[in-house]
Amino acid sequence: TCDKFRLKWKNSIGGWDYFTFTKVSKAKSNIERENFKRSRGTITSTSYQELSTDRRYKSLNIKLQDTFTVISDWVSDGTAKWLLDLFTSDEVYLLNPEPFMRNPTTQAYQLEYPVFVQQNEVEYMNNSGDAKLKNFVIDITPAIAFNENTTN
C-alpha cells in the first residue's frame, strides 16, 4: 500500500478545496550544514592539553528540509483545471501530517500541517487513451523549518 496525501488549500474565491493524492509517493530529505575548523585541545589558566581524539571539524547550523512527491490518480480535464488553484494558493495544508512530523502527536492543532507546493510550472501527463485524462506530480515541503542542530 502507499500513503495517501490529502491536501487542503484556499481556492481563488476564498473557499477551501480538498484533494487526495492516492498514487505512489516518494520522500527525500535535503540536509544543509556549515562545517568549521576548531582548535583542538583544552586551555586552562595554567596549561594546554591537546587530545588526539578531539574533533578537528565541527558541524553547526544543520538544517533538514523534507520533500514529498505526491502523484494524483488520472483525472478528467475539468478536475485538472480545478486543481490548478492548488499551485497558486497561498495557504496549503496536509491533512494527514504523520509523514512530516518528527514526533507524531494527536493534538488537534497539529492535524492540519502547513506545506508549500514547490512547482513553478505545471506539467500534465496525458494517458494514451481517448479519455484525455491527466495526472499531476507535485512536490510539497513543510512550511515549518526543522533546525536539527543549531548550537553544537
Side-chain angles (χ1 to χ4, degrees):
T1 69
C2 59
D3 288 327
K4 292 181 179 180
F5 287 84
R6 185 155 176 83
L7 297 181
K8 167 186 172 181
W9 66 95
K10 189 180 284 187
N11 62 34
S12 58
I13 58 172
W16 294 99
D17 286 328
Y18 301 80
F19 190 82
T20 303
F21 292 82
T22 57
K23 295 300 178 188
V24 174
S25 59
K26 65 179 182 176
K28 66 179 177 181
S29 294
N30 182 38
I31 303 165
E32 293 180 25
R33 63 178 52 90
E34 296 176 27
N35 296 319
F36 70 96
K37 187 176 179 179
R38 66 181 201 174
S39 59
R40 293 171 36 171
T42 305
I43 300 173
T44 66
S45 60
T46 58
S47 68
Y48 171 77
Q49 181 180 6
E50 185 173 310
L51 301 172
S52 62
T53 57
D54 282 349
R55 294 178 64 99
R56 184 61 153 182
Y57 293 90
K58 185 79 172 168
S59 294
L60 182 68
N61 206 17
I62 299 171
K63 296 177 184 173
L64 178 65
Q65 178 68 60
D66 291 326
T67 301
F68 276 79
T69 302
V70 297
I71 302 171
S72 74
D73 202 346
W74 293 102
V75 297
S76 67
D77 267 348
T79 301
K81 289 176 185 171
W82 166 74
L83 275 172
L84 288 177
D85 267 352
L86 171 61
F87 293 92
T88 58
S89 179
D90 61 348
E91 283 192 62
V92 181
Y93 297 91
L94 178 64
L95 297 183
N96 54 337
E98 288 80 12
F100 277 134
M101 296 171 64
R102 295 282 174 236
N103 300 303
T105 179
T106 57
Q107 296 178 3
Y109 68 88
Q110 291 184 325
L111 295 178
E112 292 186 355
Y113 196 75
V115 295
F116 291 118
V117 174
Q118 294 298 325
Q119 270 66 17
N120 292 325
E121 61 184 38
V122 180
E123 181 177 349
Y124 301 103
M125 292 192 296
N126 292 313
N127 71 345
S128 58
D130 291 330
K132 297 191 180 191
L133 299 176
K134 301 178 181 331
N135 82 342
F136 293 92
V137 178
I138 299 173
D139 291 331
I140 56 175
T141 58
I144 298 171
F146 292 109
N147 292 322
E148 295 297 321
N149 182 353
T150 57
T151 58
N152 52 352

